[in-house]
Amino acid sequence: MFESVPVNPPDAIFGLNELFKNDSNANKINLTVGVYKDASGQTPIMKSVKLAEQILLDNSTTKSYLPIDGSPAYRTAVAELILGKDLSGKALASTAQTPGGTVSLRVAGELARRVLGVKTIWMSNPTWANHPKIFGQAGLEIKQYDYLDESGTGLDFEKVKASLSSSQKGDAVLLHTVCHNPTGVDLSSDQWTELGEIMKTKSLLPIFDFAYQGFGEGLEEDASPIRKFVASGGEAIICNSFSKNFGLYGERVGGITAISQTAEAAAAMQSQIKSTIRTMYSNPPIHGGAIVQTVLTDADLRNTWEDELTGVRERIVALRSQFVDKMAALVPGRDFEYINRQRGMFSYSGLSKDQAEALRNDHSIYILGSGRINIAGMNADNMDGLCKAIASVL
Ligand SMILES: Cc1ncc(COP(=O)(O)O)c(C=O)c1O
């Protein structure tokens, strides 16, 4: 059987990383990757995480299975982090721990199709490359809603609405809650309100992908699209990840939360989430969830974590502004302000595929063909060279 199996083409980002690794230029720069880098180019372990791990090392007594939906204290802490204390006390949330955001999305796809009878999911064009694959493998039909304006670096909200006007009652809509990947282009608060109204009027199910809480404006501010929708009485599914905001990439920790309108529905959704998980991975891994639970429920550790996350966010904002200032000086006729308006780690730089190739071939600077750059890959050592190279290919 295996003889006739075709080779699956490698992931585009993975391929670029291989090229980067083999590039002998000492001044090479990699802005392709999807992980946070600090000023020294490392993806560090947070101090709060190390402290929590020490507590766990000293106190944990068993490696026995967690419940199918994770530890109850983790579930409460996650619902509170997403919804806020007030709303999480009132909202009928069914939360489960998942191995990262990817699995959370996959469980959401499975639930949507098998339990809720959803056939079609709408996602932004462009979106994270894994989104259509995850929901496609969950058996949903993928449709796209337009997202960007003509420049390719800002939002065209009229186009979003126009695309969604052909959606049908009972379709799901995948929404990047904050720090849209790959573009960095988010909806404004008023646009979220308007979209929420449309979703409710048309009976569409929002699936909020929440992979960057704390990377935009702050933990509370970044959750506002979800909180606004839930407070106004809508059903929703929220898929969150702690890969980025805790730097726990390889520990695989995240969650899925369904918001219901009655206690009976919430209990039924919890049971369905559990039965879905049972056949997919049975129960979540212990370590990452225990770290998050320890940090979120200990006042000192939580303060340390929030300070560290603030540091990450402020570094990214500062890099955006340094980049814009340098580019404005190098290419005076061109407006780079859109880089400051975008949020999070990623940015649609406005560079074309040809310009991305020229950067790679002539300057050993690696960005995605779409023009997506990882802002966190910039630092004091590479900023000058990067800006000069971009100016030369423009
Ligand atoms: C938009 C988006 N959603 C989900 C994920 C998945 O995160 P995880 O690594 O926790 O599976 C990512 C990771 O890059 C992402 O960018």
Side-chain angles (χ1 to χ4, degrees):
M1 288 178 195
F2 301 171
E3 293 302 316
S4 57
V5 174
V7 174
N8 199 37
D11 191 87
I13 301 181
F14 180 79
L16 279 173
N17 273 310
E18 280 301 296
L19 288 178
F20 178 79
K21 256 194 256 165
N22 297 328
D23 190 327
S24 57
N25 185 337
N27 296 320
K28 63 186 178 179
I29 302 172
N30 189 358
L31 302 184
T32 63
V33 291
V35 298
Y36 176 74
K37 303 263 187 191
D38 66 13
S40 62
Q42 303 302 310
T43 303
I45 302 177
M46 285 177 149
K47 199 169 138 208
S48 48
V49 166
K50 278 275 189 198
L51 291 169
E53 285 186 308
Q54 193 58 56
I55 293 172
L56 293 171
L57 188 64
D58 293 342
N59 296 305
S60 52
T61 52
T62 179
K63 294 286 185 192
S64 184
Y65 295 124
L66 281 176
I68 295 171
D69 47 5
S71 100
Y74 175 90
R75 291 165 40 210
T76 306
V78 170
E80 265 183 30
L81 185 68
I82 295 171
L83 299 171
K85 256 210 157 63
D86 276 4
L87 193 57
S88 75
K90 291 181 225 138
L92 297 160
S94 316
T95 301
Q97 182 186 334
T98 59
T102 303
V103 179
S104 169
L105 292 162
R106 184 66 169 82
V107 171
E110 205 65 25
L111 269 177
R113 182 188 52 77
R114 192 175 56 80
V115 178
L116 305 173
V118 173
K119 293 194 169 56
T120 302
I121 183 163
W122 293 77
M123 47 188 76
S124 61
N125 177 23
T127 192
W128 182 44
N130 217 7
H131 276 152
K133 298 178 192 168
I134 292 169
F135 287 98
Q137 287 200 6
L140 295 176
E141 186 194 353
I142 314 294
K143 287 194 177 162
Q144 292 183 315
Y145 56 89
D146 293 330
Y147 196 67
L148 294 176
D149 62 16
E150 290 295 307
S151 74
T153 57
L155 183 74
D156 190 332
F157 189 56
E158 293 308 313
K159 275 197 194 159
V160 174
K161 290 188 289 182
S163 307
L164 288 177
S165 68
S166 48
S167 62
Q168 302 292 317
K169 180 178 178 190
D171 287 355
V173 182
L174 183 62
L175 301 163
H176 295 236
T177 312
V178 72
C179 305
H180 185 276
N181 178 6
T183 65
V185 174
D186 287 340
L187 274 65
S188 69
S189 176
D190 287 347
Q191 287 165 340
W192 277 115
T193 308
E194 201 180 333
L195 186 62
E197 297 297 322
I198 295 170
M199 303 278 303
K200 264 178 250 147
T201 311
K202 295 201 70 168
S203 296
L204 303 172
L205 172 70
I207 300 183
F208 288 97
D209 184 346
F210 202 14
Y212 296 94
Q213 186 175 9
F215 271 63
E217 281 168 30
L219 284 169
E220 307 300 321
E221 295 87 337
D222 293 354
S224 72
I226 293 171
R227 293 180 190 176
K228 201 187 280 242
F229 188 82
V230 171
S232 68
E235 290 179 339
I237 295 178
I238 303 144
C239 300
N240 80 291
S241 163
F242 293 116
S243 298
K244 320 279 162 152
N245 55 11
F246 270 83
L248 286 172
Y249 306 91
E251 294 293 357
R252 312 307 298 135
V253 55
I256 181 166
T257 298
I259 305 292
S260 302
Q261 296 304 309
T262 64
E264 293 73 27
M269 285 303 287
Q270 189 79 35
S271 75
Q272 293 291 351
I273 290 172
K274 282 164 73 171
S275 76
T276 306
I277 288 172
R278 182 71 177 130
T279 57
M280 291 175 80
Y281 56 91
S282 199
N283 45 69
I286 300 169
H287 191 62
I291 294 169
V292 170
Q293 180 183 317
T294 306
V295 172
L296 291 182
T297 55
D298 177 297
D300 287 344
L301 285 183
R302 187 172 176 134
N303 279 338
T304 306
W305 171 64
E306 290 193 11
D307 287 349
E308 290 179 285
L309 186 55
T310 301
V312 166
R313 179 173 63 252
E314 287 178 350
R315 193 177 103 77
I316 294 173
V317 170
L319 286 168
R320 284 185 180 275
S321 129
Q322 286 162 28
F323 178 78
V324 168
D325 290 349
K326 271 202 196 313
M327 288 310 302
L330 287 166
V331 194
R334 199 176 153 131
D335 180 15
F336 292 94
E337 265 309 313
Y338 56 85
I339 302 275
N340 278 330
R341 286 193 291 272
Q342 297 167 349
R343 291 192 299 189
M345 211 153 64
F346 301 117
S347 169
Y348 254 22
S349 62
L351 293 172
S352 67
K353 198 165 187 282
D354 289 346
Q355 288 164 339
E357 258 169 43
L359 276 180
R360 186 169 75 241
N361 295 334
D362 305 342
H363 303 276
S364 296
I365 292 172
Y366 291 73
I367 72 168
L368 300 193
S370 61
R372 186 191 89 165
I373 53 178
N374 180 351
I375 299 283
M378 300 176 182
N379 56 48
D381 291 339
N382 66 23
M383 186 66 91
D384 263 342
L386 173 70
C387 291
K388 283 185 186 137
I390 291 180
S392 82
V393 303
L394 280 173

